[in-house]
Amino acid sequence: MRITLTLDPDVAAKAKMAAAKRRKPFKDVINEALRIGLDEVLNPPAAKPYRTVGRPMGLRPGLNLDDIGELLAQIEGGDYK
């Protein structure tokens, strides 16, 4: 199939360099790159699940989590409220 395609100058330069380096026709390099890219777009690799490792942080001595108002007053000092 023939089709007109406009390439950005940097893409065209890379494709020309690849064609020269691999000693293949320009259209073969473009077709191969499109196949690889479209396969990646249509079938992206499965993302690995994000995992975090919990660490015990403990509670600083003197801080009480039962009364949030008191906790904020202790942490923020006299500027609280």
Side-chain angles (χ1 to χ4, degrees):
M1 169 193 268
R2 284 189 177 263
I3 191 165
T4 300
L5 182 66
T6 303
L7 299 176
D8 290 339
D10 62 319
V11 174
K14 285 182 182 180
K16 286 178 184 177
M17 284 178 26
K21 183 177 180 180
R22 300 176 78 193
R23 295 182 181 172
K24 286 189 170 187
F26 183 76
K27 75 173 194 170
D28 290 349
V29 171
I30 294 294
N31 281 321
E32 185 178 344
L34 283 172
R35 277 188 197 93
I36 292 168
L38 289 172
D39 284 344
E40 185 75 21
V41 168
L42 295 173
N43 303 311
K48 293 181 181 178
Y50 183 76
R51 300 190 191 275
T52 59
V53 178
R55 295 183 180 194
M57 297 185 63
L59 183 61
R60 290 192 327 202
L63 296 180
N64 181 5
L65 295 180
D66 294 333
D67 183 358
I68 192 70
E70 180 185 333
L71 180 63
L72 288 172
Q74 288 178 357
I75 293 173
E76 301 211 3
D79 295 336
Y80 170 69
K81 291 189 184 185

